[in-house]
């Protein structure tokens, strides 16, 4: 049968089943006499015919201004610039840059928001920021080039464009893709780590003034600015009398009388850290190798500095969040995420400013390595690759490794949020902490408690109790950080009230014991603490039962950290019941009745706080506390929020969520 819909050549009448075949036939008829000289019977391809019909003129109009090589096409010249050996650190001519030209002001570019290109722009005017355009716009000719600073990466290459869009032009702020780790195995049981000898010059002198002394006398906006600025890392450490003393020796681990369990093992661990960071840095932004400054920063991790930074952590930061069991911690055998986090946190207390800057240059790479590990990586939520839930039936080594791995991930979030660059802070809040919380939910840590039947009768049972207590301390600190994000950035809590069933942290004195022999010698017994939810509800006691309920709280021996946690929850639920509740905006809602329970809770909290603070001052223990001392500042914030809501009587405009630090509070207090 004859094929249907045949295509016919209008010159020779030949028929084809496909139009493509007809088109090829017609093209071949345009050059009927062209054949290959070597093979006369062969026909020359259509592309070769086009080349013959348009012979090369030999023109190479595009030349490299650095090495004088010439090219026929501009895109080939542009690719040549990225590998031209004579270009050095000079910028690529802006007329040949890849990607879109950037015209946004510095602030809009840093915050990754749309800019209207005016000076000042609308965003900077709205938020009261200084609008500056320091980036040079595209040049009109290839000769117009700019010379970047020594620490500025090549922004003219599209290989760096993602980093530029995420973090700006700083090489240390570059947000990179993270490598995959292929192995994950538990370490052997940690050996006892040598006790840390602290020079007398470390001891605090005198009683530091209250961080919020004179808080009430200032204006509301000034109050808030003072509180936010005091909670920055440097200002907070200085005002809590926790900063480096003038004569403090940073090299604590280098003295002849200060030996570790195994210096050779410490040296090997420092070497492993350097190699892993070099590998991670090399895989973050291929094909560009790590910069010389970055490699110099990695070289800072010597065995002496490594040991000194670990000790500086326990000397300065540990009191803020004592969740790592110091007596049994061994940096040569502990999980590497925890070792890296402790080393980085401790290094922030070095009195050598240059060393601190070098460590900060490594923070993004350290974070990238930690959150690239199996389980901590976001991709481990895929089916069949979920985080392994070991349970209490797993070997103790695995349980300990899992604990240390999570501790390291959490502390890395804290470190980046406190001392990282602006992009790192946002990433820690919006991405890394969410991943840590997801693992906590998967392991059901929000309900972790000590076993009612556990009796500490040997070393194994003591280690079991310490491990469970460490988990409790980890989740309670994560709860406080979760509430802190809501206080400072108006972020909804990741942990819901209904799912929490965790107690307060147990006695610090028992947690400091090294082993079961120390338990027998001290004759201490771990305290069973009440649950956080129960204590929080007792704060709302009505006047007729307030004395009885407060006595229950006193009998549990609440401390400053417990009160800090309660005031965080009080702020979170006050904010949810007022500015975030549609019921509070109904005309039928009585604002005084709505706020009455919270006012009672604030009054009861302040009463207990004054008692705890007075007792701590009398015993001389107040100056030994960490950030728990800032609880009174949070109380003032809760009080100001309640008063602001009462004055606005449920009205007001929209309040931005997940905002810059304190912006929503400034907006509320301006109503």
């Amino acid at each position: 049968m004859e094929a249907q819909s045949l295509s016919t050549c209008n010159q020779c009448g030949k028929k084809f089943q496909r139009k493509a075949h007809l088109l090829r036939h017609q093209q071949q008829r345009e050059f009927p006499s062209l054949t290959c000289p070597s093979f006369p019977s062969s026909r020359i391809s259509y592309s070769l015919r086009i080349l013959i019909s348009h012979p090369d003129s030999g023109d190479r109009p595009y030349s490299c201004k650095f090495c004088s090589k010439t090219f026929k096409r501009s895109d080939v010249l542009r690719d040549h610039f990225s590998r031209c050996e004579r270009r050095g650190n000079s910028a690529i001519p802006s007329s040949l840059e890849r990607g879109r030209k950037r015209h946004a002001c510095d602030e809009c570019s840093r915050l990754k928001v749309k800019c209207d290109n005016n000076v000042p722009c609308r965003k900077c005017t709205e938020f009261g920021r200084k609008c500056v355009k320091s980036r040079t716009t595209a040049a009109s000719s290839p000769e117009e080039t700019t010379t970047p600073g020594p620490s500025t990466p090549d922004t003219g290459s599209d290989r760096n464009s993602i980093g530029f869009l995420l973090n700006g032009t700083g090489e240390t702020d570059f947000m990179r893709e993270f490598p995959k780790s292929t192995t994950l195995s538990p370490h052997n049981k940690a050996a006892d780590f040598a006790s840390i000898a602290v020079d007398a010059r470390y001891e605090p002198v005198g009683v530091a003034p209250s961080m919020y002394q004179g808080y009430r006398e200032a204006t509301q906006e000034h109050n808030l600015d003072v509180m936010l600025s005091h909670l920055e890392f440097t200002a907070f450490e200085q005002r809590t009398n926790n900063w480096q003393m003038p004569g403090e020796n940073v090299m604590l681990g280098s003295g002849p009388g200060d030996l570790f369990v195994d210096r050779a093992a410490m040296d090997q661990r420092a070497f492993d850290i350097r190699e892993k960071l070099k590998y991670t840095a090399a895989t973050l932004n291929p094909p560009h190798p790590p910069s010389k400054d970055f490699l110099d920063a990695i070289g800072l991790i010597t065995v002496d500095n490594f040991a000194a930074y670990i000790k500086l952590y326990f000397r300065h930061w540990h009191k803020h969040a004592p969740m790592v069991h110091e007596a049994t911690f061994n940096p040569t055998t502990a999980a590497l995420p925890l070792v890296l986090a402790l080393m980085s946190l401790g290094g922030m207390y070095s009195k050598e400013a240059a060393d601190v800057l070098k460590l900060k240059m490594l923070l993004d790479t350290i974070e990238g390595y930690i959150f690239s590990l199996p389980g901590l990586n976001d991709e481990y939520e895929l089916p069949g690759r979920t985080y392994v839930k070991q349970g209490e039936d797993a070997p103790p080594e695995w349980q300990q490794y899992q604990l240390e791995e999570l501790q390291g991930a959490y502390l890395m979030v804290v470190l980046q949020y406190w001392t990282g660059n602006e992009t790192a802070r946002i990433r820690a809040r919006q991405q890394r902490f969410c991943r840590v919380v997801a693992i906590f939910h998967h392991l059901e840590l929000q309900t972790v408690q000590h076993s009612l039947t556990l009796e500490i009768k040997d070393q194994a049972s003591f280690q079991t109790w310490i491990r469970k207590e460490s988990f409790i301390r980890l989740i309670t600190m994560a709860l406080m950080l979760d509430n802190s994000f809501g206080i400072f950035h108006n972020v909804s809590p990741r942990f819901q009230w209904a799912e929490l069933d965790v107690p307060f942290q147990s006695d610090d004195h028992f947690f400091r014991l090294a082993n079961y022999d120390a338990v027998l010698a001290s004759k201490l017994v771990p305290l069973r603490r009440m649950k956080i939810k129960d204590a929080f509800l007792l704060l709302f006691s009505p006047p007729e039962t307030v004395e009885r309920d407060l006595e229950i709280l006193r009998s549990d021996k609440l401390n400053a950290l417990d009160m800090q946690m309660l005031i965080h929850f009080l702020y979170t639920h006050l904010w949810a019941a007022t500015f975030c509740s549609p019921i509070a905006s109904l005309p039928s809602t009585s604002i005084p009745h709505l706020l009455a329970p919270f006012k009672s809770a604030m009054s009861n909290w302040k009463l207990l706080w004054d008692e705890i603070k007075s007792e701590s001052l009398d015993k001389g223990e107040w100056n030994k506390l960490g950030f728990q001392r800032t609880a009174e500042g949070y109380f003032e914030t809760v009080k100001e929020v309640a008063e602001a809501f009462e004055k606005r009587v449920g009205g007001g405009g929209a309040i931005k969520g997940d905002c810059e630090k304190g912006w929503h509070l400034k907006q509320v207090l301006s109503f």
Side-chain angles (χ1 to χ4, degrees):
M1 175 181 279
E2 186 178 1
Q4 300 295 324
S5 301
L6 295 179
S7 300
T8 304
C9 178
N10 55 7
Q11 296 183 10
C12 64
K14 190 174 181 178
K15 297 182 179 181
F16 300 89
Q17 293 184 354
R18 297 183 180 180
K19 291 184 178 180
H21 295 170
L22 173 62
L23 179 61
R24 183 178 60 187
H25 166 73
Q26 293 173 342
Q27 291 172 345
Q28 291 173 346
R29 290 183 60 86
E30 294 179 6
F31 300 92
S33 60
L34 289 179
T35 58
C36 178
S38 302
F39 301 93
S41 61
S42 301
R43 289 185 176 272
I44 298 178
S45 65
Y46 174 69
S47 59
L48 183 58
R49 289 172 184 157
I50 296 298
L51 180 61
I52 295 175
S53 63
H54 297 83
D56 185 10
S57 62
D59 293 338
R60 304 172 73 88
Y62 302 100
S63 62
C64 174
K65 61 179 298 182
F66 304 107
C67 65
S68 301
K69 289 185 178 180
T70 57
F71 303 90
K72 297 179 182 179
R73 293 168 21 197
S74 60
D75 58 329
V76 178
L77 170 61
R78 184 176 56 210
D79 290 337
H80 164 76
F81 276 133
S82 63
R83 56 179 179 271
C84 180
E85 297 180 354
R86 296 188 180 182
R87 183 170 69 89
N89 293 328
S90 301
I92 294 177
S94 55
S95 61
L96 294 175
E97 288 182 353
R98 294 178 186 245
R100 62 183 182 183
K101 303 297 185 296
R102 304 176 180 89
H103 304 286
C105 69
D106 294 354
E107 284 297 314
C108 290
S109 179
R110 180 177 65 85
L111 298 174
K112 316 300 181 293
V113 296
K114 186 176 181 180
C115 181
D116 58 13
N117 299 333
N118 295 325
V119 180
C121 67
R122 184 178 63 84
K123 289 290 185 182
C124 290
T125 303
E126 178 181 351
F127 292 100
R129 296 189 295 262
K130 184 178 180 181
C131 187
V132 177
K133 278 190 176 183
S134 62
R135 292 181 176 85
T136 305
T137 57
S140 58
S141 66
E143 282 71 21
E144 298 180 18
T145 60
T146 58
T147 303
S151 62
T152 305
D154 175 19
T155 59
S157 173
D158 63 342
R159 295 176 178 87
N160 289 337
S161 59
I162 296 179
F164 181 89
L165 293 175
L166 287 174
N167 285 14
T169 59
E171 182 176 352
T172 58
D173 298 344
F174 192 69
M175 171 70 174
R176 304 169 172 93
E177 296 181 7
F178 301 137
K180 304 290 189 300
S181 178
T182 56
T183 59
L184 178 65
S185 58
H187 297 285
N188 295 328
K189 183 170 62 175
D192 288 347
F193 184 52
S195 60
I196 298 174
V198 180
D199 193 282
R201 290 172 293 181
Y202 282 109
E203 297 304 323
V205 290
V207 178
S210 173
M211 181 180 294
Y212 299 97
Q213 186 174 359
Y215 181 90
R216 298 288 298 170
E217 287 73 10
T219 62
Q220 286 184 342
E221 184 175 358
H222 177 67
N223 290 344
L224 186 59
D225 290 337
V226 170
M227 188 191 77
L228 294 176
S229 65
H230 284 172
L231 289 177
E232 292 292 336
F233 182 81
T234 302
F236 167 73
E237 293 295 333
Q238 289 173 338
R239 294 184 65 86
T240 54
N241 201 15
N242 193 40
W243 203 244
Q244 291 280 327
M245 302 303 173
E248 187 169 17
N249 178 19
V250 68
M251 301 299 292
L252 294 179
S254 59
D258 191 9
L259 301 177
F260 292 98
V261 176
D262 189 345
R263 182 179 177 85
M266 287 289 294
D267 195 7
Q268 180 62 40
R269 201 65 192 271
F271 173 80
D272 292 341
I273 290 175
R274 293 194 300 269
E275 292 302 308
K276 289 184 182 297
L277 293 184
K278 289 178 183 178
Y279 171 79
T280 303
T283 56
L284 291 180
N285 187 31
H288 302 288
S291 66
K292 182 179 182 301
D293 292 340
F294 187 87
L295 294 177
D296 290 343
I298 291 181
L300 182 69
I301 308 176
T302 62
V303 60
D304 289 333
N305 286 343
F306 175 44
Y309 296 155
I310 294 291
K311 291 193 172 185
L312 285 176
Y313 166 83
F314 284 109
R315 173 61 187 89
H316 291 283
W317 178 264
H318 183 65
K319 65 180 181 181
H320 298 313
M323 59 183 175
V324 179
H325 192 228
E326 179 181 1
T328 57
F329 174 77
N330 189 336
T332 65
T333 57
L336 192 55
L338 179 59
V339 174
L340 287 169
L342 299 194
M343 180 196 72
S344 303
L345 267 168
M348 295 299 107
Y349 292 94
S350 171
K351 70 176 183 179
E352 302 295 335
D355 291 352
V356 175
L357 291 178
K358 288 182 178 180
L359 279 176
K360 286 186 176 182
M361 188 183 300
L362 301 178
L363 290 185
D364 283 355
T365 304
I366 294 175
E367 175 198 343
Y369 170 77
I370 291 177
F371 284 93
S372 70
L373 296 175
L376 297 178
N377 194 324
D378 289 331
E379 295 183 359
Y380 258 70
E381 287 304 306
L382 298 175
R385 301 181 67 188
T386 56
Y387 196 87
V388 179
K389 185 177 180 180
Q390 298 290 346
E392 297 185 2
D393 296 333
E397 291 80 9
W398 269 110
Q399 296 184 48
Q400 184 65 26
Y401 182 88
Q402 190 174 66
L403 166 65
E404 293 172 349
E405 188 179 57
L406 292 179
Q407 288 174 333
Y410 167 78
L411 288 175
M412 198 65 217
V413 172
V414 173
L415 175 62
Q416 285 284 56
Y417 179 71
W418 273 63
T419 66
N421 57 69
E422 185 65 26
T423 303
R425 294 187 181 199
I426 296 175
R427 185 173 62 243
R429 183 178 80 244
Q430 296 180 349
Q431 180 181 353
R432 301 308 190 192
F433 183 67
C434 293
R435 178 56 188 156
V436 172
V437 171
I439 297 176
F440 285 176
H441 280 128
H442 179 68
L443 300 179
E444 299 180 355
L445 294 185
Q446 68 273 20
T447 60
V448 63
Q449 300 178 26
H450 286 292
S451 173
L452 297 176
T453 60
L454 177 63
E455 180 182 357
I456 301 178
K457 56 185 179 180
D458 52 23
Q459 180 64 19
S461 58
F462 172 77
Q463 291 178 337
T464 300
W465 187 92
I466 289 293
R467 188 163 47 249
K468 183 62 70 66
E469 177 65 18
S470 299
F471 272 117
I472 292 175
R473 289 171 177 248
L474 176 60
I475 184 62
T476 52
M477 298 309 301
L479 289 174
M480 292 187 64
L481 183 61
D482 189 29
N483 290 327
S484 296
F485 287 149
I487 295 173
F488 293 119
H489 302 281
N490 194 19
V491 178
S492 299
R494 279 80 165 185
F495 293 102
Q496 299 301 315
W497 174 257
E499 66 179 339
L500 299 180
D501 194 26
V502 63
F504 285 119
Q505 300 179 9
S506 190
D507 184 21
D508 282 341
H509 296 289
F510 193 88
F511 188 70
R512 295 192 190 103
L513 298 179
N515 47 46
Y516 181 66
D517 292 337
V519 174
L520 297 178
S522 64
K523 299 181 180 179
L524 293 176
V525 178
L527 298 177
R528 292 197 59 84
R529 302 297 305 282
M530 67 188 310
K531 296 179 181 179
I532 298 175
K533 293 177 67 172
D534 296 339
F536 182 74
L537 294 177
L538 289 176
L539 290 178
F540 292 83
S541 299
E544 54 271 18
T545 62
V546 64
E547 287 300 327
R548 181 194 66 189
D549 293 338
L550 290 183
E551 194 58 35
I552 296 176
L553 292 175
R554 293 188 184 99
S555 64
D556 195 61
K557 298 183 179 180
L558 296 181
N559 53 40
L561 182 61
D562 301 333
M563 300 301 293
Q564 172 95 328
M565 191 172 303
L566 291 177
I567 198 63
H568 274 64
F569 275 109
L570 190 55
Y571 173 93
T572 299
H573 292 286
L574 172 65
W575 184 266
T578 53
F579 291 102
C580 289
S581 173
I583 304 300
S585 301
L586 294 176
S588 58
T589 300
S590 172
I591 302 300
H593 284 84
L594 177 65
L595 293 177
F598 291 100
K599 290 184 177 181
S600 297
M602 286 187 288
S603 177
N604 295 334
W605 184 94
K606 189 64 167 61
L607 179 62
L608 292 173
W609 172 259
D610 289 340
E611 294 176 0
I612 293 173
K613 182 177 179 180
S614 176
E615 181 181 0
S616 180
L617 286 172
D618 293 340
K619 294 182 178 180
E621 297 179 352
W622 179 255
N623 228 33
K624 300 178 183 179
L625 299 177
F627 75 100
Q628 304 93 319
R629 291 161 53 182
T630 65
E632 196 166 355
Y634 290 98
F635 169 79
E636 295 293 344
T637 303
V638 173
K639 190 174 182 180
E640 296 286 359
V641 169
E643 292 177 355
F645 183 80
E646 193 170 20
K647 292 177 181 178
R648 73 184 285 223
V649 196
I655 303 174
K656 186 177 180 180
D658 199 7
C659 58
E660 297 181 31
K661 182 180 287 187
W663 180 255
H664 63 298
L665 293 177
K666 294 180 181 179
Q667 185 179 2
V668 164
L669 298 183
S670 65
F671 287 149

